[in-house]
Amino acid sequence: MEGNQGKLYLCATPIGNLEDITMRVLRILKEADIIAAEDTRNSIRLLNHFDIRTPMTSYHEYNKIDKAYTLIEEMKKGKNVALITDAGTPAISDPGEDLVRLCYENGIEVTSLPGACACVTALTLSGLPTRRFCFEAFLPSDKKEKQAILEELKNETRTIVLYEAPHRLLRTLGELLEVLGDRRVTICRELTKKHETAFGTTLSAAIAHYTKEEPKGECVLVLEGRSRRQMKEEEQAAWNEISIQEHMQQYLDSGLDKKEAMKRVAKDRGVGKRDIYQALLELKND
């Protein structure tokens, strides 16, 4: 740790099992001048377990801006700061993102030390597609904002990862079912701990299960995205609710010539252009 200015180290800590911490993170936590922790009462147990005596200060949602500038001033004086969250990787669904942004704005170097992250752990455990995914963390508490996000997720084709507290799980499952329809979901609990579970089910079956059995432990929901095939079938079904003549007229009114309009209509309805031509010819003859 050299240089005139200090540096911010984003240190991933275990999400459950204390063995899930890297040797590099342990070294940095010992060598840093300050550890900025989301909850010092929680983090002291981790630090004591590994015999780390570095001074701690609190950095959380309610002091994230003012404290960020205080930490930046310390780093400008040459001190190195290690940022840790209660569990997992800092700046993921965490006020650490604001500290990182402000560090860059003030010319402070930042580096991230990889490690545990509940989002990725649950995704790999889910049995659902992992190549493409989106992460929404906790849904907003504001009803209008939540509804807007759910409507966005309705047509999301990537696997969706959400966080949820046990006392809100049943309500959230109901909201997801209402807006997104019934889908496969894996509900991960107690990740990396002794009673870790990955419950692969559907939204409707999960609601039935947790109506009878009270959920416990922080949850990560991994939800399958909407299939492109399903979207295409629904689009075609919507077009089939109007006549071919009306469908054609929409494209003709938009300025397309008859040939291009027929091509678009055929594509919308999932049929060949010849089928559209034949249907229009029969309607004309009638």
Side-chain angles (χ1 to χ4, degrees):
M1 300 183 183
E2 299 176 354
N4 296 325
Q5 284 198 142
K7 189 172 179 178
L8 177 66
Y9 293 83
L10 306 177
C11 297
T13 55
I15 59 176
N17 192 314
L18 290 180
E19 293 179 2
D20 296 331
I21 192 167
T22 69
M23 294 176 67
R24 184 182 175 206
V25 166
L26 290 175
R27 177 175 63 81
I28 293 299
L29 290 177
K30 289 177 180 178
E31 294 179 1
D33 298 291
I34 305 168
I35 295 174
E38 184 177 8
D39 186 337
T40 56
R41 295 166 301 178
N42 179 70
S43 296
I44 192 64
R45 293 193 292 270
L46 174 73
L47 300 186
N48 285 343
H49 180 81
F50 291 106
D51 195 28
I52 296 170
R53 305 299 176 189
T54 306
M56 261 198 304
T57 188
S58 63
Y59 179 78
H60 49 70
E61 182 64 29
Y62 302 104
N63 71 354
K64 62 183 181 180
I65 302 300
D66 291 342
K67 194 56 169 286
Y69 284 112
T70 300
L71 292 171
I72 286 168
E73 286 305 310
E74 293 298 318
M75 286 182 274
K76 284 182 177 180
K77 295 174 185 176
K79 292 187 177 180
N80 293 292
V81 175
L83 179 67
I84 59 176
T85 184
D86 281 348
T89 300
I92 299 294
S93 186
D94 175 79
E97 67 176 309
D98 293 286
L99 179 56
V100 172
R101 173 177 53 82
L102 291 169
C103 279
Y104 283 127
E105 290 177 5
N106 285 271
I108 300 295
E109 188 178 354
V110 181
T111 189
S112 183
L113 282 60
C117 179
C119 167
V120 175
T121 303
L123 179 67
T124 57
L125 194 61
S126 69
L128 294 172
T130 60
R131 188 178 71 85
R132 300 171 63 250
F133 70 95
C134 69
F135 175 57
E136 276 294 335
F138 290 94
L139 291 172
S141 55
D142 180 81
K143 288 184 178 180
K144 288 185 177 179
E145 189 179 353
K146 182 194 295 184
Q147 189 64 30
I149 289 178
L150 289 174
E151 288 296 332
E152 288 180 12
L153 293 177
K154 188 175 182 178
N155 292 320
E156 177 59 69
T157 59
R158 295 171 295 178
T159 299
I160 302 163
V161 184
L162 302 168
Y163 290 163
E164 193 50 279
H167 66 279
R168 291 193 301 262
L169 178 63
L170 197 55
R171 183 182 67 188
T172 296
L173 290 171
E175 291 167 340
L176 290 168
L177 178 62
E178 181 180 355
V179 179
L180 278 62
D182 207 6
R183 300 189 187 184
R184 289 189 299 160
V185 63
T186 300
I187 301 172
C188 299
R189 296 174 50 258
E190 300 292 288
L191 287 171
T192 75
K193 299 178 184 177
K194 182 178 180 180
H195 299 294
E196 173 184 275
T197 60
F199 178 30
T201 182
T202 62
L203 287 172
S204 59
I207 290 171
H209 175 78
Y210 287 115
T211 298
K212 297 176 182 178
E213 183 175 317
E214 183 182 0
K216 297 178 181 178
E218 295 296 316
C219 304
V220 184
L221 281 63
V222 186
L223 187 68
E224 74 173 336
R226 191 179 182 193
S227 73
R228 295 182 184 276
R229 180 178 177 181
Q230 181 186 11
M231 291 176 66
K232 187 66 177 176
E233 288 174 351
E234 290 178 5
E235 288 172 5
Q236 289 173 0
W239 282 118
N240 287 328
E241 290 179 2
I242 65 172
S243 70
I244 291 176
Q245 284 177 312
E246 291 173 317
H247 199 161
M248 277 286 293
Q249 196 60 48
Q250 286 188 24
Y251 282 123
L252 293 172
D253 291 344
S254 71
L256 295 180
D257 61 35
K258 190 173 181 179
K259 184 178 180 181
E260 183 61 28
M262 286 175 59
K263 186 187 295 184
R264 296 283 185 91
V265 170
K267 183 178 180 181
D268 289 343
R269 291 175 176 258
V271 298
K273 190 168 66 173
R274 183 180 293 275
D275 296 322
I276 300 300
Y277 175 79
Q278 188 63 38
L280 290 170
L281 188 62
E282 289 173 3
L283 288 168
K284 184 179 180 180
N285 291 337
D286 289 343

